[in-house]
Amino acid sequence: MVFNMANSLQKPIQYLKGVGPRRAQCFRKLGIETVWDLLNHFPREHQDRTKQVPIVRACSGSVQSLTGVVHDFDVVPVGRNLSMGRALLGDPTGSIWAVWFRHSSARYDPFTGLRRQLVKGASILVHGRVERNYRQLQIRVDEYEVLKPGDRSVKHIGRIVPVYDLTEGIDARWLRELIWDVLEKNHGGVYESLPEFFIRENNLASLSWAIRHIHYPASWKDVQKAHERLSFEEFFFLELALAHVRQGRLSGPPAVPCSLTRCLLTPFRQALGFDFTTAQKRVINEIFSDMAKNKPMNRLLQGDVGSGKTVVALAAMLLAVENGQQAALMAPTEILAGQHFLTLEKMLKGLSVRMSLLTSDVSKKNKFKKIEDLKTGKVQIAIGTHALIQENVFFQNLGLVVVDEQHRFGVRQRALFQRKAQAPHVLIMTATPIPRTLSLTLYGDLDVSVIRQLPPGRPGIVTHWTSEKEALVSVHQAVNTGKQAYIVFPLVDESDKLNLRAAVKEWERLKTSVFPGLSVGLLHGRLKSAEKEKTMAGFASGEIKILAATPVIEVGIDVPNACVMVIMNADRFGLAQLHQLRGRVGRGKHLSECFLVSHSKSPDPVRRLNLMCETSDGFQLAEEDLKMRGPGEFLGEAQHGTPLLKAGDLVKDVAIIEKAREKAFLVMREDPCFGNPKNHIFRDTLRSRFANRLFFGQVA
Ligand code: ADP
Ligand code: MG
């Protein structure tokens, strides 16, 4: 139920004059069901059609608006199927032909409307491109508006005009008229969603003013002021919801505090064979001090590929185990889970930590036993895939859950994992850096740790955009000097058999004709687990020199001796995925190279590939990705259903977001239960906006 509007705004759109059931169906495609939704269908952009020129100044080649009196209107055929309607317009400075082109039809006259409106003596405003036709100037009309004497309410020209997202059955001109009418009739019908004092304090426009002026601004300043209010309010309530969820977590069941005993951590550090980087130390401190509290930790660890997040997670898991708790780590692929398991096993050799690897692939009997061991607490550290969040998996005393490569999991899966204990500490890791605006909003109830430093002694990765031939020559050279290489084939959907067959064929070709005598391995998602493991082990040990793979290797694989990466048809991948793939190299002492093979000339891929060659900074790439593609990619599951943001812009509104967040957290700090009557309106709006959204947990 939505409370903050007059009844007339809750009306289904169908009952508006001129809409009806058929158009209501079209509106549904735009997510518009009610009149209120219609008012919240904000313009995608605005066009400046304020400037009018006298006819004598009409200038061929430019898009202009002008006003004139109709002297004459007629229709002439200009082709087999095309007719032109033309009106001779005049003003005190001169005259010009205004022209409309329409497909001819035997069944009806496409010019009926124009004939009716463009009577001699009518005053009209036209907007369009001025061109020269033989020796006469004409304006090819995009939009026109008949001026009624005394009526100054122009909607289509002579002002800043709203441009809307449309759909079949809803045309621009008609939609503008409709929204105009609704605004006229509902003047004052929009109730305020923020308290008076708050609006004043933050120097905002009223909601009703903002809605009116976002559609029909009188100036560019109006556009800005209206956007500011609408965007602020959107982010404010989003942040308030986040602050509320956070509040709920902190006042919910307590977590088990963990203190350092070092009985495991010290041997672990000794077995590492390297020192933690400063950034890793800082993050470990942040995590440990979270876990020392009886409030559940909820932390996001962002670190570029290769920055060494795994050891940080392992340290956190050992802290839990030192404190008699169980810890579990979930990774998106079997390969990666297996790799984490091996790493940990190696490092904890000789210590009595009981570990278990749980993937969907273990045999039934074996699985039963493993699940039993989790339940009885026999296993202290569980590493696994989605298998960990199955219904039949229980833990005895799970103190910490770690999600590796969170971008591969949905919000729901994360929540399921978290629910395996009453109030576990949660650590979420991602190598897809999240642009700042997103970490303030979508991930806004998490505390964030960042590693922006690679371990020492990494000479880096040089990226080239080359031909296949050049790339393969480099693979040869690398292998000749004892190094290893990856060759990745684009297979966006691992279950796509046809493409898989093509990839396998490519692999055979490489093996027999390009690299005869070298050991080339093949890895893809549909291989049996045992085969995958065997291939990965062979590559890790150096026995396999070249690994041809589908993007299954995208996440987490860590083989330091591999320092050449070839990505075939690189244009098929997004920026984030390219960066992830490239992150498989550059993990050892040698300078690594990445070859992007692509013949694409389309602007978007070209921009992506060039960016890849220019920078290896994942944070910079993530910002660019957000600019190029919008936030969809980052939203994952949250993006289903109605879009989260209508007015707010995650790319441009950084300042507004920051302010909204600050204010929301302040409100929550001062009055966490909205007990003060002056804050009731916050609570009510929050409820009405975020009811039924799993994403935000329960709100009030
Ligand atoms: P990611 O952050 O991408 O998950 P990993 O945790 O896989 O990165 O680490 C990449 C590699 O760097 C691993 O081989 C790991 O052992 C190594 N590594 C991690 N921390 C350090 C360090 N402080 N010094 C040297 N090597 C490190
Ligand atoms: Mg990793």
Side-chain angles (χ1 to χ4, degrees), residues 242-280:
L242 292 169
H244 190 85
V245 169
R246 183 189 172 87
Q247 182 73 28
R249 178 163 51 80
L250 296 182
S251 58
V256 178
C258 297
S259 56
L260 268 177
T261 70
R262 298 190 190 279
C263 63
L264 294 175
L265 281 160
T266 305
F268 166 69
R269 275 188 85 152
Q270 282 161 354
L272 265 185
F274 51 74
D275 290 329
F276 288 129
T277 61
T278 319
Q280 283 171 321

Side-chain angles (χ1 to χ4, degrees), residues 211-282:
I211 287 186
R212 190 176 176 83
H213 288 82
I214 200 71
H215 291 290
Y216 284 101
S219 66
W220 287 104
K221 220 171 132 219
D222 282 1
V223 177
Q224 194 197 344
K225 187 93 187 132
H227 172 78
E228 237 168 65
R229 155 73 208 227
L230 296 167
S231 167
F232 179 88
E233 109 150 32
E234 206 162 42
F235 285 120
F236 174 79
F237 284 109
L238 187 62
E239 296 296 345
L240 201 59
L242 292 169
H244 190 85
V245 169
R246 183 189 172 87
Q247 182 73 28
R249 178 163 51 80
L250 296 182
S251 58
V256 178
C258 297
S259 56
L260 268 177
T261 70
R262 298 190 190 279
C263 63
L264 294 175
L265 281 160
T266 305
F268 166 69
R269 275 188 85 152
Q270 282 161 354
L272 265 185
F274 51 74
D275 290 329
F276 288 129
T277 61
T278 319
Q280 283 171 321
K281 280 186 205 152
R282 190 192 67 241

Side-chain angles (χ1 to χ4, degrees), residues 274-277 280 304-310 455 458 558 587:
F274 51 74
D275 290 329
F276 288 129
T277 61
Q280 283 171 321
D304 212 340
V305 277
S307 60
K309 295 182 293 296
T310 314
R458 300 264 179 90
D558 186 31
R587 296 175 160 254

Side-chain angles (χ1 to χ4, degrees), residues 272-278 280 301-312 336 339-340 343 347 404-405 429-431 451 454-458 555-560 580 583-584 586-588:
L272 265 185
F274 51 74
D275 290 329
F276 288 129
T277 61
T278 319
Q280 283 171 321
L301 170 52
Q302 290 190 55
D304 212 340
V305 277
S307 60
K309 295 182 293 296
T310 314
V311 284
V312 172
L336 187 54
Q339 184 183 291
H340 284 334
T343 311
M347 287 175 178
D404 193 17
E405 308 290 350
M429 305 200 287
T430 181
I451 304 185
L454 293 182
R458 300 264 179 90
V555 287
I557 304 295
D558 186 31
V559 178
Q580 288 286 328
R584 296 312 110 217
R587 296 175 160 254

Side-chain angles (χ1 to χ4, degrees), residues 413-484:
Q413 291 165 318
R414 243 161 54 196
L416 284 177
F417 195 22
Q418 212 159 325
R419 270 183 231 142
K420 293 289 175 192
Q422 201 183 26
H425 295 293
V426 177
L427 178 64
I428 293 166
M429 305 200 287
T430 181
T432 303
I434 297 165
R436 181 164 163 68
T437 53
L438 287 174
S439 66
L440 286 176
T441 50
L442 286 172
Y443 297 90
D445 70 324
L446 300 169
D447 296 306
V448 179
S449 292
V450 179
I451 304 185
R452 270 199 99 150
Q453 175 185 27
L454 293 182
R458 300 264 179 90
I461 309 172
V462 183
T463 304
H464 319 267
W465 180 356
T466 56
S467 65
E468 176 176 321
K469 197 164 158 219
E470 213 172 316
L472 296 182
V473 166
S474 301
V475 170
H476 254 300
Q477 282 168 351
V479 173
N480 284 341
T481 54
K483 297 171 197 156
Q484 290 164 279

Side-chain angles (χ1 to χ4, degrees), residues 161 199 219-220 295 309 319 329 338 345 348 362 365 418 423 442 451 460 511 540 563 570 575 603 611 622 631:
V161 176
I199 292 180
S219 66
W220 287 104
K295 311 275 186 213
K309 295 182 293 296
L319 180 67
L329 181 151
E345 217 176 29
L348 299 180
V362 276
K365 198 172 125 228
Q418 212 159 325
L442 286 172
I451 304 185
K511 201 174 145 84
C563 44
L575 211 43
L611 267 168

